[in-house]
Amino acid sequence: MHDKILILDFGSQVTQLIARRVREAQVYCEIHPNDVSDDFIRSFAPRGIILSGSHASTYEDHQLRAPQAVWDLGVPVLGICYGMFTMAVQLGGEVQASDVREFGYAEVRAHGHTRLLKDLQDFATADGHGMLKVWMSHGDKVTALPPGFKLMASTPSCPIAGMAHEDKGYYAVQFHPEVTHTVQGAALLRRFVRDIAGCAGDWVMGSYVDEAVARIRAQVGDEEVILGLSGGVDSSVAAALIHRAIGDQLSCVFVDHGLLRLNEGDMVMEMFAGKLHARVIRVDASELFLGRLAGVSDPEQKRKIIGGLFVDVFKGEAAKLKAGGEGHRGASFLAQGTIYPDVVESGGARSKKAVTIKSHHNVGGLPEQLGLKLLEPLRELFKDEVRELGIALGLPSEMVYRHPFPGPGLGVRILGEVKPEYADLLRRADAIFIEELRNFRDDASGKSWYDLTSQAFGVFLPVKSVGVMGDGRTYEHVVALRAVQTSDFMTADWAELPYALLKKVSSRIINEVRGINRVTYDVSSKPPATIEWE
């Protein structure tokens, strides 16, 4: 059993970042709504508890409180932003609306040499005071410390920016240590979970493989499993892990909807059927998908058509596998590459505390429709942990560290109507862009620009432009290139690619992809833009 940290979510949009930082400290943690029962908290048996931020105010929503078991369990507790407010109110302090709201960069002075902040600083003032560069996001402030607490941090506009009751192991900070803007944030969270809560750093993917394999074998026994293999990181790692556990009891269904990247279908088959010797059924449904998309230009409509058809095609293949035959007695499990962010985001609405941003198809009702039991071997892992697990399983790094690719594929990277000839043009242009990103290296780091960007792709635009090739006038298609850098995909900056790289990509696309005569580069950040165009 791993030592565990319990994170209680009060509705913040960045609660997942807390969990990621804790996992980076090699400590297992889970996020649960703040209104879980006292019995749940006791049975979870955490070594420490973290209270998240929130969009609410403590004096507006009196239901937004930590359960009493948090204070009765006798384990260290860390409150972050709203978590500090509810700690203060519940333990006898006071919180009021602040005259000066703080949103963004701030410099916090540390006080009292508490165990949490001891020796953590970004710079010192002329008077020798240790200072932290942090990220604030609050409109309230603690105006009176609870009994037994002492001041731990302050800013000029927020006299109580941190507080501590060291005898009980209670700590609270007004700023957000989970975001990258707080320079010492990861060190602070590591200090709390490893030193103060005393968790062993035993959450390591290399040793997790055997644990996961044993769990799959125990759950599945001698029954058979179906998995929808998309070629993406999550389904690929899930397939490799399940195949490691149960071998040919696993059957993978790979639906080619005609909107994949260049040669992607062949690469998937070569890896899983060729090298892993897994049972993979490849279904070429490109004519079906592209036929149904003809004349459709609305992005949401395209997503619904692609998603609905995928489910229909997959259900047809799964029904055959469930029936058995060909030496197989029939599947009783459906495996999905659900990862922890999918679980957290889809569950947020049920807690009624978080604003729902999106729903996830892979936490939906497909197992019930098929009459199958559900197997989700990655559901407790973040994306970076899934990648580490893939490497530990022996998958090639170029597969494991591929940039994200949307479920509808090129269907949402072709703006407007999706036509087969548009998909072919975009596939080739996108492949050139990715190839040159891999070829070009940054002088300072020596890394390829593919590794230095988080996501890069081409977008087919529903316009034509005038051009000149040789002595002739052309009137052909336009492709936009998009490359972003981000740590969490919640915000993203456009990548400042070298001009020489962009020049090479543009020249190659225009010369090698007949039908495209203009290439543009997207210099929009998120927000206000999104990463994908549709």
Side-chain angles (χ1 to χ4, degrees):
M1 285 290 292
H2 298 281
D3 291 338
K4 295 181 291 187
I5 293 290
L6 173 62
I7 300 169
L8 293 182
D9 180 22
F10 289 84
S12 169
Q13 296 295 352
V14 293
T15 301
Q16 283 191 37
L17 296 184
I18 303 174
R20 286 189 61 193
R21 300 292 171 259
V22 172
R23 298 278 187 94
E24 287 167 6
Q26 298 181 330
V27 173
Y28 182 73
C29 63
E30 289 183 13
I31 299 170
H32 291 278
N34 78 285
D35 53 5
V36 294
S37 68
D38 289 343
D39 285 344
F40 172 83
I41 293 175
R42 284 190 286 268
S43 64
F44 189 84
R47 293 292 299 266
I49 298 172
I50 299 177
L51 311 177
S52 85
S54 176
H55 59 279
S57 296
T58 52
Y59 45 81
E60 287 177 350
D61 192 340
H62 296 286
Q63 301 304 310
L64 216 53
R65 296 284 182 259
Q68 185 57 39
V70 169
W71 318 113
D72 295 342
L73 208 58
V75 300
V77 181
L78 172 64
I80 295 173
C81 197
Y82 183 91
M84 174 170 167
F85 295 149
T86 199
M87 180 185 289
V89 169
Q90 290 185 252
L91 299 181
E94 293 181 9
V95 174
Q96 296 177 4
S98 178
D99 295 332
V100 180
R101 299 192 302 171
E102 288 185 303
F103 292 96
Y105 175 80
E107 293 177 355
V108 170
R109 177 185 166 186
H111 295 267
H113 302 291
T114 58
R115 192 176 176 196
L116 184 68
L117 298 184
K118 183 175 173 59
D119 299 326
L120 291 184
Q121 68 176 49
D122 293 307
F123 66 96
T125 66
D127 297 328
H129 300 306
M131 302 293 290
L132 296 169
K133 297 177 179 180
V134 304
W135 189 260
M136 291 279 198
S137 180
H138 68 99
D140 300 341
K141 63 181 179 182
V142 175
T143 53
L145 292 169
F149 278 74
K150 66 179 181 180
L151 182 67
M152 183 170 68
S154 66
T155 72
S157 59
C158 186
I160 304 176
M163 61 184 193
H165 191 314
E166 298 219 85
D167 291 341
K168 291 183 177 292
Y170 295 165
Y171 298 87
V173 292
Q174 188 61 76
F175 55 88
H176 286 267
E178 68 272 30
V179 300
T180 54
H181 306 75
T182 298
V183 179
Q184 300 292 335
L188 184 155
L189 287 167
R190 182 182 178 89
R191 172 80 55 84
F192 178 75
V193 300
R194 295 286 293 271
D195 299 342
I196 295 173
C199 293
D202 60 357
W203 183 247
V204 182
M205 286 303 101
S207 57
Y208 177 73
V209 173
D210 291 341
E211 183 180 324
V213 163
R215 191 182 307 168
I216 292 167
R217 286 174 179 164
Q219 184 177 353
V220 173
D222 60 357
E223 299 180 64
E224 297 196 3
V225 178
I226 308 167
L227 180 139
L229 183 61
S230 69
V233 175
D234 301 337
S235 69
S236 296
V237 174
L241 178 61
I242 296 169
H243 186 260
R244 170 79 64 92
I246 60 173
D248 62 4
Q249 291 169 247
L250 170 69
S251 296
C252 299
V253 176
F254 174 47
V255 178
D256 184 346
H257 49 33
L259 298 166
L260 299 172
R261 290 168 283 197
L262 190 67
N263 300 324
E264 187 162 21
D266 292 340
M267 287 190 288
V268 169
M269 294 303 294
E270 181 185 350
M271 180 68 224
F272 287 93
K275 294 182 179 177
L276 289 184
H277 306 294
R279 184 192 188 201
V280 184
I281 300 164
R282 182 176 184 175
V283 183
D284 184 355
S286 53
E287 288 189 15
L288 173 65
F289 279 81
L290 291 167
R292 197 72 63 84
L293 288 167
V296 179
S297 59
D298 178 71
E300 195 58 31
Q301 188 79 12
K302 290 193 291 186
R303 286 180 180 275
K304 286 180 179 176
I305 289 171
I306 294 168
L309 281 177
F310 180 88
V311 169
D312 290 344
V313 172
F314 182 80
K315 282 169 67 175
E317 294 301 320
K320 298 176 193 174
L321 290 168
K322 187 181 177 187
E326 297 182 22
H328 292 263
R329 62 181 189 175
S332 53
F333 278 92
L334 174 69
Q336 295 188 151
T338 309
I339 65 174
Y340 197 49
D342 299 337
V343 176
V344 174
E345 289 177 15
S346 298
R350 290 197 296 275
S351 74
K352 301 179 182 178
K353 297 299 186 294
V355 179
T356 300
I357 301 299
K358 57 185 173 179
S359 59
H360 292 270
H361 68 277
N362 57 338
V363 195
L366 196 56
E368 291 84 354
Q369 294 176 38
L370 294 169
L372 296 169
K373 295 175 282 188
L374 186 58
L375 175 65
E376 295 176 311
L378 309 180
R379 66 175 285 116
E380 59 189 18
L381 304 182
F382 282 99
K383 177 72 82 172
D384 50 347
E385 294 171 320
V386 172
R387 295 187 196 278
E388 290 177 28
L389 179 59
I391 295 297
L393 287 165
L395 292 177
S397 59
E398 56 268 26
M399 171 179 280
V400 170
Y401 285 97
R402 288 184 83 183
H403 290 178
F405 189 61
L410 301 183
V412 291
R413 291 181 177 173
I414 299 169
L415 305 195
E417 183 182 3
V418 177
K419 295 182 178 181
E421 59 267 30
Y422 294 172
D424 288 337
L425 290 172
L426 180 56
R427 246 190 291 273
R428 291 159 61 202
D430 182 80
I432 290 170
F433 185 30
I434 298 303
E435 181 182 340
E436 293 302 336
L437 283 170
R438 291 189 186 278
N439 289 341
F440 267 73
R441 296 198 169 269
D442 173 54
D443 292 338
S445 67
K447 293 183 177 180
S448 76
W449 275 99
Y450 185 84
D451 292 331
L452 290 172
T453 52
S454 308
Q455 194 165 353
F457 52 91
V459 179
F460 187 91
L461 304 187
V463 295
K464 284 187 173 183
S465 75
V466 174
V468 177
M469 290 189 178
D471 295 327
R473 176 182 181 275
T474 63
Y475 189 56
E476 294 179 332
H477 298 288
V478 182
V479 166
L481 305 179
R482 178 78 158 139
V484 299
Q485 294 172 315
T486 177
S487 61
D488 52 29
F489 289 89
M490 295 179 181
T491 62
D493 293 321
W494 61 275
E496 297 184 29
L497 299 180
Y499 289 151
L501 168 55
L502 290 171
K503 184 177 182 179
K504 178 78 175 291
V505 172
S506 175
S507 176
R508 282 195 59 194
I509 289 174
I510 292 170
N511 282 303
E512 296 176 31
V513 186
R514 181 167 294 184
I516 296 174
N517 72 351
R518 192 175 297 270
V519 175
T520 68
Y521 186 57
D522 181 351
V523 292
S524 312
S525 292
K526 176 188 179 181
T530 53
I531 295 176
E532 296 283 350
W533 279 44
E534 283 193 344

